[in-house]
Amino acid sequence: MEKTMGIDSAFVEETRKLRNDFENMMALFSTDLWNFCKYVTGSPWDGEDLYQETLIKAFGMLPQRWSEITNKKYYLFRVATNTWLDQCRKQKRMLGTLDQLPEESVDFTDQLLLEDVLISLDKHLTPKQTVAFLLFDIFQFSAEEVAGIVKTTPGGVYATL
């Protein structure tokens, strides 16, 4: 029985150490990830669910993958994107392509106008297109990084945008 107690105690300590390491890593990216999840889902409640699910998946992979990952922010955003796309598929949301439309130049100095534009994007774009737009234009990922996250090519990202 003593040996079992020793193993349990060591397991608890190792788990606490992993959790603390994970919290330290997440402190760097949590705000950006939270904002991304909120924008992608279009609501703070769904964004919170996506954020928590992303953290759970990332924490679950901590012992196996985190030491191999060089760009942890990229990895977290990819986990969030894949999780969101999976949720959309489960709910049978439409995933498609963006039609080529003439682009008008608009001044976004008015915050209400910007909010209206973002709401319009959410209404008219598929989740994959919205993710590509937000990652590229708002969070300023490169086309190659966005392509890796949404599983397309850099040319596909530019075509979508």
Side-chain angles (χ1 to χ4, degrees):
M1 183 71 176
E2 288 178 21
K3 190 172 188 176
T4 304
M5 293 299 287
I7 292 172
D8 290 341
S9 176
F11 179 73
V12 168
E13 285 303 313
E14 182 63 25
T15 304
R16 285 184 182 150
K17 182 185 177 310
L18 282 173
R19 186 197 71 212
N20 290 336
D21 291 346
F22 184 74
E23 286 176 357
N24 291 335
M25 284 187 283
M26 285 307 303
L28 300 171
F29 311 119
S30 63
T31 302
D32 287 341
L33 182 63
W34 162 246
N35 288 331
F36 174 72
C37 291
K38 193 168 59 169
Y39 275 120
V40 167
T41 61
S43 98
W45 299 279
D46 290 337
E48 178 68 26
D49 291 342
L50 178 60
Y51 177 78
Q52 289 177 6
E53 193 166 337
T54 301
L55 292 182
I56 290 168
K57 288 180 178 183
F59 184 73
M61 295 302 292
L62 184 66
Q64 300 165 353
R65 304 275 317 262
W66 279 83
S67 61
E68 302 168 9
I69 298 170
T70 56
N71 189 339
K72 292 175 178 33
K73 183 176 181 179
Y74 169 85
Y75 176 75
L76 287 170
F77 276 68
R78 181 165 186 148
V79 170
T81 299
N82 290 342
T83 301
W84 176 243
L85 292 174
D86 289 344
Q87 288 176 1
C88 289
R89 285 185 194 110
K90 286 178 186 174
Q91 296 173 2
K92 303 212 187 296
R93 292 187 181 180
M94 292 293 294
L95 298 175
T97 60
L98 178 65
D99 295 330
Q100 294 290 332
L101 299 174
E103 197 173 308
E104 295 180 25
S105 177
V106 179
D107 180 22
F108 291 113
T109 55
D110 182 9
Q111 292 296 323
L112 292 176
L113 179 59
L114 177 59
E115 185 177 346
D116 288 342
V117 169
L118 289 173
I119 290 169
S120 177
L121 285 174
D122 184 48
K123 287 181 183 176
H124 299 293
L125 298 180
T126 66
K128 191 172 187 176
Q129 292 166 341
T130 303
V131 167
F133 171 77
L134 292 173
L135 288 173
F136 189 80
D137 285 337
I138 305 300
F139 291 97
Q140 302 196 354
F141 279 83
S142 70
E144 290 79 20
E145 291 173 321
V146 174
I149 292 171
V150 298
K151 296 182 180 175
T152 188
T153 62
V157 171
Y158 287 121
T160 299
L161 298 173

